[in-house]
Amino acid sequence: MKPAPKTFHVKSFGCQMNVYDGERMAELMAAQGMIATAAGEADLVVLNTCHIRERATEKVYSDIGRLRKDARKVGRDPMIAVAGCVAQAEGAEIVARAKVDVVVGPQAYHNLPGLVAQAAAGQAALDTDMPLASKFGRLPARRRVGPSAFLTVQEGCDKFCTYCVVPYTRGAEISRPFAAIVDEARALVDAGAREITLLGQNVNAWTDGAEEHNRRGLHDLIRDLDRIPGLSRIRYTTSHPNDMTQGLIDAHGDVESLMPFLHLPVQSGSTRILKAMNRSHGRDDYLRLLDRVRAVRPDIALSGDFIVGFPRETSDDFADTLSLVDAVGYAQAFSFKYSPRPGTPAADMDDEVPEAVMDERLQALQAALGRDQQAFNRASVGRTCTVLIERPGKLPGQMLGKSPWLQSVHVMGDHTIGDLVEVELTAAGPVSLSGRVRRLLAA
Ligand code: 5AD
Ligand code: SF4
């Protein structure tokens, strides 16, 4: 038995939705009177985990081991809670394997304080329920956030790509109600946010659930949020190509606060592999879709996710991925080696691609994506754009912010976190830019 914790630390892994969940868990514990502190000093450490690839999952177990070892060295024995998608997928298995105190899934973390109290009373504390009533209504209000804040509007996935665990760990697609989202967005702006990124595993599948003829979509939500005074920038991620409606595309053409950036994963450039992945769109559908987005917003920065080495991927399939990358010219992108996940259909597919071939393909893909990112950054030099200052840079007097195209921009001068400034981009490095501030737009 461990005493009821007075201090806590939340460590989030994986996607931005986990970052958001981690913030909300921290707010929840602060509302109970607990104090946030460094991992090495906390009575309770919450590991908010990711299950998307095997390496991410194994990392949780090594992290638990390291945490314990470091704590023991200084005579401590913190309570450990495992939250997030590994908690959902492995449940009691984690308690058996790593002897943690609390296990709580992504749809049940509003119960975290109760579970911690249970653990302190020496009882098993595990909750991986996916209740119909949403956790969101049971979380404390947002109070203090940075200039760029996340807001989860949609969770779960019904797409069942054959490699992916998300439909199992995060459950079916659900959308939060319109009014609750607008209320939270206003609270975030009052708490210091100038930019909000709407989050969802399939964020562009957001709907208010009404009958088809008067159903509202993500673009309606964006148009409403655009009217909130003090909210200068809206972003959204992650989108699925099949949910990219004309309404959303049009919003990119005429909603000024909607930033010219679109993260639209394609995974592979080979229609044959896309079919095996159950992506329900082909290569050409994707390219045509991007043409339509570019028609309304020619300067849009595109981003994507790629998987190399999906079972049966031939060198021709991979060449198709490289040629798609060439055709699109991504501003940035994420790429991964395929990782078989227990319980997914692809895990049972034969014709696995050898590890060495995967390594080679990943390297070639990352070289192409890196080259395109650099080209995009170079092409931005000379542009004048807004930059939202988010944090100090490494050099004295330097501040770091984001361009509308989500590039990191360094500027010098006396600027405060949260300032929106007009910047002339003057130089480009491989992953960031430098700029000269021309004027302050909003403080
Ligand atoms: N193996 C490798 N990458 C994966 N992703 C999802 N599942 C897997 C897997 N089993 C990648 C996809 C997705 C991103 C979040 O993670 O590219 O878009
Ligand atoms: Fe996973 Fe596919 Fe759903 Fe994305 S769309 S979360 S890759 S199943």
Side-chain angles (χ1 to χ4, degrees):
M1 228 156 81
K2 289 170 188 165
K6 295 193 176 66
T7 56
F8 71 92
H9 181 85
V10 181
K11 190 169 174 194
S12 287
F13 303 85
C15 66
Q16 289 152 320
M17 297 192 63
N18 262 13
V19 175
Y20 174 85
D21 288 344
E23 285 169 4
R24 307 267 1 220
M25 282 187 250
E27 289 165 350
L28 192 57
M29 279 167 315
Q32 306 285 313
M34 291 171 65
I35 293 163
T37 183
E41 294 163 9
D43 301 334
L44 165 69
V45 179
V46 181
L47 297 174
N48 189 24
T49 60
C50 173
H51 196 242
I52 197 98
R53 284 169 290 277
E54 191 185 359
R55 282 220 339 238
T57 307
E58 283 309 311
K59 197 171 174 329
V60 176
Y61 286 104
S62 61
D63 253 60
I64 296 171
R66 183 158 5 98
L67 207 86
R68 282 242 170 74
K69 210 166 128 203
D70 291 350
R72 229 177 276 132
K73 274 192 218 152
V74 290
R76 300 172 50 85
D77 183 18
M79 189 181 274
I80 297 179
V82 177
C85 293
V86 176
Q88 191 65 39
E90 310 233 316
E93 178 72 29
I94 309 174
V95 183
R97 190 171 153 189
K99 308 271 175 312
V100 298
D101 304 278
V102 176
V103 174
V104 62
Q107 304 306 349
Y109 66 75
H110 53 286
N111 292 330
L112 188 57
L115 292 163
V116 168
Q118 234 169 288
Q123 292 162 22
L126 184 140
D127 189 348
T128 51
D129 282 356
M130 293 197 181
L132 277 180
S134 147
K135 63 188 173 247
F136 291 108
R138 297 160 70 184
L139 298 171
R142 315 296 315 257
R143 290 195 199 288
R144 238 186 101 230
V145 295
S148 177
F150 291 141
L151 201 178
T152 293
V153 304
Q154 181 281 337
E155 286 191 285
C157 182
D158 297 337
K159 306 288 192 289
F160 290 94
C161 299
T162 52
Y163 51 81
C164 185
V165 286
V166 166
Y168 312 99
T169 55
R170 290 269 174 171
E173 281 177 12
I174 57 153
S175 297
R176 289 181 68 189
F178 198 97
I181 297 167
V182 175
D183 283 353
E184 189 172 329
R186 286 184 197 284
L188 286 170
V189 172
D190 289 345
R194 200 180 281 289
E195 170 178 284
I196 291 180
T197 302
L198 306 174
L199 298 180
Q201 256 96 32
N202 273 291
V203 71
N204 57 342
W206 182 89
T207 162
D208 65 358
E211 301 285 307
E212 201 162 337
H213 63 278
N214 59 0
R215 187 174 291 165
R216 288 184 291 188
L218 187 67
H219 56 286
D220 298 304
L221 185 60
I222 288 170
R223 288 183 189 279
D224 224 72
L225 298 177
D226 177 57
R227 290 202 287 269
I228 297 180
L231 181 59
S232 310
R233 293 172 153 200
I234 302 171
R235 303 181 184 274
Y236 61 94
T237 197
T238 288
S239 296
H240 192 285
N242 286 11
D243 291 318
M244 210 60 218
T245 61
Q246 191 57 46
L248 187 53
I249 294 174
D250 291 343
H252 275 286
D254 63 10
V255 179
E256 207 189 321
S257 63
L258 181 58
M259 291 294 100
F261 186 93
L262 177 61
H263 180 66
L264 198 65
V266 64
Q267 316 297 354
S268 166
S270 152
T271 295
R272 202 179 74 86
I273 293 296
L274 289 171
K275 211 172 177 130
M277 288 176 163
N278 191 31
R279 286 291 293 180
S280 62
H281 61 79
R283 168 198 175 92
D284 292 340
D285 306 318
Y286 180 81
L287 290 173
R288 274 199 301 268
L289 178 57
L290 294 188
D291 286 343
R292 284 166 53 211
V293 179
R294 279 186 160 141
V296 299
R297 188 76 213 220
D299 72 332
I300 198 149
L302 296 165
S303 159
D305 290 346
F306 293 88
I307 297 175
V308 299
F310 188 78
R312 299 170 209 171
E313 186 189 69
T314 63
S315 52
D316 282 352
D317 293 318
F318 179 63
D320 285 349
T321 297
L322 288 180
S323 75
L324 179 133
V325 166
D326 284 346
V328 173
Y330 288 94
Q332 59 171 67
F334 301 95
S335 48
F336 313 99
K337 283 192 280 185
Y338 168 68
S339 166
R341 307 306 291 126
T344 60
D348 297 328
M349 288 181 187
D350 46 16
D351 289 337
E352 278 179 34
V353 175
E355 190 71 23
V357 176
M358 279 204 228
D359 283 334
E360 224 171 81
R361 290 181 187 168
L362 187 67
Q363 256 186 34
L365 178 59
Q366 291 187 339
L369 292 169
R371 181 199 62 211
D372 288 353
Q373 179 168 7
Q374 212 162 353
F376 184 86
N377 286 345
R378 282 212 192 100
S380 309
V381 173
R383 272 175 167 171
T384 295
C385 65
T386 64
V387 169
L388 178 60
I389 304 291
E390 293 182 15
R391 58 189 165 88
K394 287 206 180 97
L395 305 176
Q398 191 187 48
M399 298 299 278
L400 196 63
K402 291 272 164 53
S403 77
W405 307 283
L406 209 64
Q407 297 148 301
S408 291
V409 180
H410 295 93
V411 296
M412 300 301 287
D414 188 18
H415 307 290
T416 311
I417 291 174
D419 284 355
L420 190 69
V421 288
E422 188 182 270
V423 170
E424 184 190 342
L425 301 173
T426 51
V431 292
S432 66
L433 291 133
S434 312
R436 193 178 310 118
V437 177
R438 304 235 294 216
R439 64 191 173 115
L440 177 68
L441 297 171

